[in-house]
Amino acid sequence: MKFTIYQESRPGKRPTNEDRIAYSYSRDALLMVVADGMGGHLHGEVAAQIAVQFITESFQREAHPQLKDPFLFLSAALTNAHHAILDYAADRLLPEAPRTTCVACIVQDSIAYWAHAGDSRLYALRGGRIIAQTRDHSRVQRMVEDGLITAEAAIHHPARNRIFSCLGGGNAPQIDFSKKTPLMTGDVILLCSDGVWGPLPADVIPRALSTGNVVQATPALLNQAEARGGDNADNLSMIAIRWEDNYAEDTLGSVSTKTMPVDSFTTQMEAFAKARKGAQPLPNLSDEDIERAIQEINSAIRKFSK
Amino acid sequence: MPPQTNVPLPPGYQLDEYRIERQLSLGGFSIVYLAFDKEDTPVAIKEYLPNSLALRSEGDALPSIAEENVATFRYGMKCFFEEGRALAKISHPNVVRVLNFFRANETVYMVMHYERGRTLQEHIQKHRGEIRESFIRAIFARLLNGLREVHTHKLLHLDIKPSNIYLRNDGQPVLIDFGAARQTLSTDTPLLKPMYTPGFAAPEQYNNARRELLGPWTDIYSVGASMYACMAAAAPQAADQRVERDQLAPAVKRWPEKYSRQMLETVDWCMRLNYLERPQSVFALQKALADKDRSVPRITFLGGLRKRVKSLIK
Ligand SMILES: Nc1ncnc2c1ncn2[C@@H]1O[C@H](COP(=O)(O)OP(=O)(O)OP(=O)(O)O)[C@@H](O)[C@H]1O
Ligand SMILES: [Mg+2]
């Protein structure tokens, strides 16, 4: 597995950075996560931190060195991260659970898999063109896609920041999944928060990355978005990889995981906590045990019903 | 098609002898459906489907369970059976009635009498801070009839809280969700970790090693906390935190203008950290709720109390 990766997160013009980002890779699998804690809700950055940390820890527990089923992994990891946020809120008696968007991507065997809730985005780019992208869980964005309002009108729409799915909060998240997306040498995968894509015209991101030089293009895009964001520029975060595959030449700064031991991980994230130890083996419940339990219960029901 | 989280069985789906109408709720451990039986009688069906272990994709009936999760999935089933076993023995108007249990789609289902209404939790949200004393007295007095029946069968509910108290449209409260048995069974299996709400569990529930201290007073703590939540429109401070540093304002101090002193003292009485200082039986509490003029006993065990209670938890 070979790729070039770059990540950066900035507060923009906001007093705090409520975005959290991380990547982690084993010899044969790569994880990238972006979470954008929702301001206006208590502890937005806490929700983002829990999500990113939880998903990264799950990845490290399960990618040995590959994930059995990347979609199943994403589904469980995002759902459990959601519950971890609710637990956090309940433990501290917060009046409402904090919320965060989340987009997470797995690459293994040169196939990308991703899932998201909210309006943090993933773009898959090939030769400067978008080959796939997430659909925001935002009614305003859906109206743009359906041609009901213009992109220009969306920028000023009062509900532009409202999303209908996120981790944490009172409702179960709607999590959308990508198709299995095979990657070719030079393909770029980019994850970012709305502070990045929001201020930029639609064609800027694919064009900026058409060279595939993620190390240069990422900070350049952030500069541009931050400048366009003006005095109120939102938190900006982005992770981008260029997939090198086996055939690519050795690019400066690219990662080759070939020599990594099967059970080691490399992770980039602030304040990363140690993974917990695994569960104990459990006593087995056979089919006969199940049948017997059901029969017992049903005869108790009949015996006690009046 | 990649898996979606928690896809419920679709409306119209024929499940054993029942026809699914729609999903009523989706928990971390199970999905509850409204369905109709052969006579077109509505029933509530609870499907065992912990989303950390088993995922059903759109269009499928069978969940997919990763091979390494099969043992845990089956183990969790045991916990689901505990709920059925507990409910099967009880037939009381204030306790949800279980009607049938069956196996399908590689998992198990519990069929219950369908109750029309809403949870006390929803009621609290809707009437934030304007729930009257007469309502609280009436609802809890009746609910306690059901709880008494539970205790008579030597069972404890252990998860009483506003979202597990159902208010029927005819005004009768019904105790639902006897799923707490799994809390004890599953503490060592993180994938089955229940997503219960702290704030309602008694201090002695936080210590697995001291299960023998659980008793009617344990459910009574939760009843007190639920009454407190009616007044505060929020969950009270969790008992394990209270033991470390009790920041829960006594009801008597918080709402002297709004509720009678006797009502407030009754709530505080139920929520004493030391289980010996609470009402020791449902009947004792019912008497206090029924009679506004009955004075609430003030028992305090002095000396090393905090230490003693702490040792309950640690
Ligand atoms: N018998 C019933 N009649 C009508 N509605 C019901 C019934 N049982 C459950 N419900 C609805 O389903 C919701 C969830 O039920 P319950 O509390 O038993 O499960 P849960 O808390 O989601 O499950 P778990 O904790 O087992 O994951 C209730 O709040 C209620 O709205
Ligand atoms: Mg419940």
Side-chain angles (χ1 to χ4, degrees), chain B residues 24-32 43-44 46 80 83 96-97 110 112-119 122 159 161 163-164 166 176-179 182 195:
Chain B
L24 289 173
S25 95
L26 196 149
F29 198 80
S30 57
I31 300 181
V32 180
V43 291
K46 194 168 193 172
F80 193 75
E83 180 172 1
V96 70
R97 182 72 198 136
M110 181 170 78
M112 296 170 281
H113 188 266
Y114 174 65
E115 307 290 358
R116 282 168 224 271
R118 61 190 178 289
T119 65
E122 288 163 329
D159 195 18
K161 58 183 179 186
S163 64
N164 287 336
Y166 205 79
I176 61 170
D177 197 359
F178 280 58
R182 69 175 174 269
M195 305 293 174

Side-chain angles (χ1 to χ4, degrees), chain A residues 114-135:
Chain A
W114 61 88
H116 80 292
D119 64 357
S120 292
R121 286 187 182 173
L122 179 147
Y123 295 91
L125 307 167
R126 178 170 299 158
R129 286 201 5 263
I130 298 173
I131 57 168
Q133 134 180 24
T134 50
R135 287 186 76 202

Side-chain angles (χ1 to χ4, degrees), chain A residues 79 87 91 93 287 296 298, chain B residues 5 74 85 101 193 241:
Chain A
T79 309
D87 281 359
D91 284 342
L93 299 170
D287 278 350
E296 272 171 34
N298 279 331
Chain B
T5 28
R74 292 220 158 179
R85 258 190 256 276
F101 228 88
K193 184 172 167 283
Q241 294 176 10

Side-chain angles (χ1 to χ4, degrees), chain A residues 62 68-69 71-72 75-76 79-80 83-84 87 90-93 95 172-179 276-280 282-294 296-298 300-306, chain B residues 2-6 26 28 51-52 55 64 66-68 71-72 74-75 77-78 81 84-85 88-91 97-103 108 149 153 188-191 193-199 235-238 241:
Chain A
E62 293 177 37
K68 271 222 173 91
D69 182 336
F71 280 131
L72 215 54
S75 174
T79 309
N80 289 337
H83 287 296
D87 281 359
D91 284 342
R92 284 160 189 76
L93 299 170
Q174 175 183 330
I175 300 169
D176 285 350
F177 295 84
S178 68
K179 293 214 263 286
R276 289 176 223 96
K277 59 176 166 39
Q280 318 286 317
L282 296 164
N284 207 31
L285 192 68
S286 70
D287 278 350
E288 294 79 65
D289 295 335
I290 295 173
E291 289 300 340
R292 199 168 338 109
I294 290 178
E296 272 171 34
I297 293 168
N298 279 331
I301 291 170
R302 278 191 295 278
K303 190 169 138 201
F304 288 92
S305 60
K306 290 167 199 157
Chain B
Q4 272 315 120
T5 28
N6 299 321
L26 196 149
N51 59 11
S52 53
L55 281 168
S64 74
E67 206 174 303
E68 70 269 22
T72 318
R74 292 220 158 179
Y75 183 72
M77 225 178 241
K78 243 185 172 143
F81 291 145
R85 258 190 256 276
K89 295 184 203 153
I90 300 168
S91 174
R97 182 72 198 136
V98 52
L99 303 170
N100 190 16
F101 228 88
F102 64 91
R103 207 174 162 190
V108 285
E149 184 72 13
H153 283 84
D188 53 341
T189 49
L191 286 173
K193 184 172 167 283
M195 305 293 174
Y196 72 97
T197 330
Q237 188 188 17
Q241 294 176 10

Side-chain angles (χ1 to χ4, degrees), chain B residues 21-81:
Chain B
E21 177 70 16
R22 65 185 158 87
Q23 170 192 347
L24 289 173
S25 95
L26 196 149
F29 198 80
S30 57
I31 300 181
V32 180
Y33 302 93
L34 167 61
F36 290 95
D37 69 7
K38 279 182 282 190
E39 277 90 48
D40 255 353
T41 310
V43 291
I45 301 185
K46 194 168 193 172
E47 175 181 51
Y48 167 65
L49 202 67
N51 59 11
S52 53
L53 299 173
L55 281 168
R56 182 191 287 121
S57 311
E58 192 78 55
D60 289 347
L62 301 186
S64 74
I65 305 165
E67 206 174 303
E68 70 269 22
N69 286 341
V70 169
T72 318
F73 179 80
R74 292 220 158 179
Y75 183 72
M77 225 178 241
K78 243 185 172 143
C79 313
F80 193 75
F81 291 145

